[in-house]
Amino acid sequence: MVNDYDVLIVGGGLAGGSLALALRSSCLSVAVVEAVSDDRRQSSPAGNRALALSYGAKRLLDQLGLWAEVKSHAVPIKTIHISDRGHFGKTRLFAEDEGVDALGYVATARNLEDSISSALNASNLKRICPARLIGMQSGPESVCVSLKQGDEHINLNAGLVVGADGGNSTVRRLANISEHTRDYGQTALIAVVKPEIDPDFTAYERFTASGQLAFLPTEEGCCSVIWTQKSEDAESMATLSDPAFIQALQSAFGDWLGDLKYCGSRGAFPLKLVQADSMVSERTVLVGNAVHQLHPIAGQGLNLGLRDIAVLAEMLIENGGVAKDPGASDLLHRFAKIRKADHDRVIDFTDGLVNIFSNDWLPLAAVRNFGLLSLDCLPWAKHVIARYSMGLGGRMPRLTPSSLSS
């Protein structure tokens, strides 16, 4: 059977769009199915959310030819300041100590999505947008995919279907890949504030009894705030007036940046771990949030997803050649085995931080306080933590040259 496409990517967002760009100049025929039109995406308030990009993620975006455009609106993180509310323990990580210009960067989702969308539109890749996946049937040689675009139904065959369609993945459901979910009983409140003191390229991680409080430096001296609360507390906090919210935020964060001024709309989303029981099924593979949706405490969700697509692209285009069968079972299971170690490490690390820093039990608080104090005095330990936060804790995939040319 001759397939319409070698690779059909469902989801043209950050993970799916990046994978398509990594494959754009290969000999593989690639199409991207995206449910949301560019106009609708542009008007969505979700585009305003701030994303923490690790140094490793920046390198991957640079290889894809996206970083030059993203960089113009991204704010570098040169220092990470970690503290525990009500205790003396704190530690600081510095880009200078690691020999890099920045430990990471903060960019808006819209900035990244616009860069990916522009690059996709300028490429020779087929984009089916807006369209929804409504059916999928895998066979030994291909996957038959049914799409709905407006009133039209489209049937396509592909050698490999990539599910890059987020936490509520339709690909995952249609491929009969089960998932398990752990509800953290927490909700993340998000807002934008203008501090009295310029954050000076410093990201703050502050741990409180109810959860994590992160201040990420953004443009014009502002900070994007991600405040993790116990869900019952978050419901009450969401109903506060803007002045009362800022007063509560100031009390939790302290005076590290002086007085805080509210300057952005608030939002909230529940926090849970969603993890697919498998990354692969017959001629189907999941990447990004379709396979792992993490707590934001370590800011690793997007970075982990970008490593998924980098490894997959590297395997589909090996040594300048092309995989003879992109949906071959041995290739997909080898990909899943390679990615498992990274997934397990990041998920265990994230879970550990949630358990350690969302608990105000006095003995545990004393241990973590001592740990932060000790860490600040141990350069080698700070180096290990810094490299981990930079996304350099393991082998970094490198996209092949043939996938990077326009």
Side-chain angles (χ1 to χ4, degrees):
M1 175 185 292
V2 177
N3 292 321
D4 296 290
Y5 298 100
D6 294 315
V7 180
L8 185 69
I9 302 169
V10 180
L14 301 179
S18 296
L19 176 60
L21 293 174
L23 300 175
R24 62 186 153 180
S25 294
S26 71
C27 296
L28 294 167
S29 57
V30 179
V32 180
V33 178
E34 174 55 52
V36 179
S37 68
D38 286 343
D39 288 343
R40 184 178 166 193
R41 177 183 53 78
Q42 280 281 347
S43 62
S44 172
N48 297 325
R49 71 189 188 279
L51 300 174
L53 294 169
S54 69
Y55 179 80
K58 173 258 182 184
R59 281 170 38 177
L60 292 175
L61 291 172
D62 200 16
Q63 292 178 50
L64 291 173
L66 297 173
W67 182 245
E69 185 175 347
V70 171
K71 183 181 179 181
S72 62
H73 295 287
V75 176
I77 298 174
K78 298 186 177 183
T79 304
I80 298 177
H81 185 286
I82 308 169
S83 62
D84 195 355
R85 184 176 182 269
H87 304 280
F88 291 108
K90 66 177 182 293
T91 193
R92 289 149 295 188
L93 308 175
F94 300 99
E96 184 179 5
D97 291 345
E98 302 305 317
V100 294
D101 293 333
L103 296 168
Y105 299 82
V106 181
T108 65
R110 183 170 290 110
N111 183 17
L112 282 168
E113 289 166 348
D114 284 349
S115 299
I116 290 171
S117 180
S118 295
L120 287 174
N121 288 332
S123 72
N124 58 357
L125 293 165
K126 174 66 175 179
R127 235 181 141 200
I128 308 171
C129 176
R132 292 187 299 110
L133 174 68
I134 58 174
M136 192 172 79
Q137 182 65 50
S138 298
E141 296 182 356
S142 65
V143 186
C144 180
V145 173
S146 297
L147 307 174
K148 187 173 183 181
Q149 187 172 38
D151 295 329
E152 182 182 3
H153 285 77
I154 303 172
N155 293 318
L156 299 171
N157 289 307
L160 172 67
V161 168
V162 180
D165 49 344
N168 296 316
S169 172
T170 302
V171 172
R172 187 178 66 214
R173 175 175 57 82
L174 293 176
N176 294 316
I177 298 175
S178 58
E179 76 277 352
H180 63 268
T181 301
R182 183 187 309 165
D183 191 336
Y184 286 112
Q186 297 177 335
T187 296
L189 302 175
I190 56 175
V192 178
V193 299
K194 175 82 171 181
E196 179 184 10
I197 301 171
D198 191 295
D200 194 27
F201 309 118
T202 299
Y204 290 83
E205 293 273 0
R206 184 121 164 106
F207 296 101
T208 72
S210 62
Q212 170 217 27
L213 177 56
F215 274 53
L216 302 177
T218 58
E219 293 182 291
E220 300 177 353
C222 292
C223 288
S224 178
V225 177
I226 306 171
W227 192 4
T228 300
Q229 295 263 325
K230 296 174 182 176
S231 293
E232 57 270 25
D233 296 335
E235 291 179 10
S236 300
M237 193 69 66
T239 65
L240 293 179
S241 65
D242 292 344
F245 175 80
I246 285 295
Q247 184 177 2
L249 180 62
Q250 185 84 65
S251 176
F253 183 68
D255 298 323
W256 297 105
L257 294 174
D259 292 338
L260 304 176
K261 179 182 178 182
Y262 177 78
C263 59
S265 59
R266 281 185 274 159
F269 56 92
L271 299 177
K272 52 189 174 182
L273 170 66
V274 179
Q275 190 175 10
D277 291 333
S278 174
M279 290 191 73
V280 300
S281 183
E282 188 176 30
R283 294 197 170 274
T284 303
V285 62
L286 304 177
V287 295
N289 282 353
V291 69
H292 45 66
Q293 191 168 346
L294 310 182
H295 193 290
I297 191 168
Q300 290 300 309
L302 171 61
N303 302 301
L304 189 62
L306 288 175
R307 294 200 293 277
D308 287 344
I309 68 95
V311 172
L312 183 57
E314 186 181 53
M315 293 180 68
L316 291 174
I317 310 172
E318 293 185 22
N319 301 319
V322 177
K324 294 180 181 178
D325 181 359
S329 178
D330 60 339
L331 185 151
L332 299 186
H333 283 91
R334 186 157 49 94
F335 166 74
K337 183 178 180 180
I338 290 171
R339 294 301 300 138
K340 185 178 186 303
D342 192 13
H343 287 191
D344 289 348
R345 182 173 61 247
V346 171
I347 290 170
D348 288 348
F349 177 69
T350 300
D351 259 357
L353 288 180
V354 173
N355 293 329
I356 291 172
F357 287 102
S358 296
N359 191 321
D360 213 29
W361 183 49
L362 189 58
L364 182 58
V367 170
R368 72 187 182 218
N369 185 54
F370 176 75
L372 287 175
L373 284 169
S374 301
L375 181 62
D376 206 44
C377 301
L378 297 172
W380 66 268
K382 290 173 67 173
H383 173 67
V384 171
I385 297 296
R387 286 190 62 80
Y388 196 95
S389 70
M390 292 164 66
L392 303 178
R395 172 186 173 274
M396 283 297 297
R398 177 166 181 83
L399 302 178
T400 55
S402 62
S403 68
L404 304 179
S405 57
S406 299

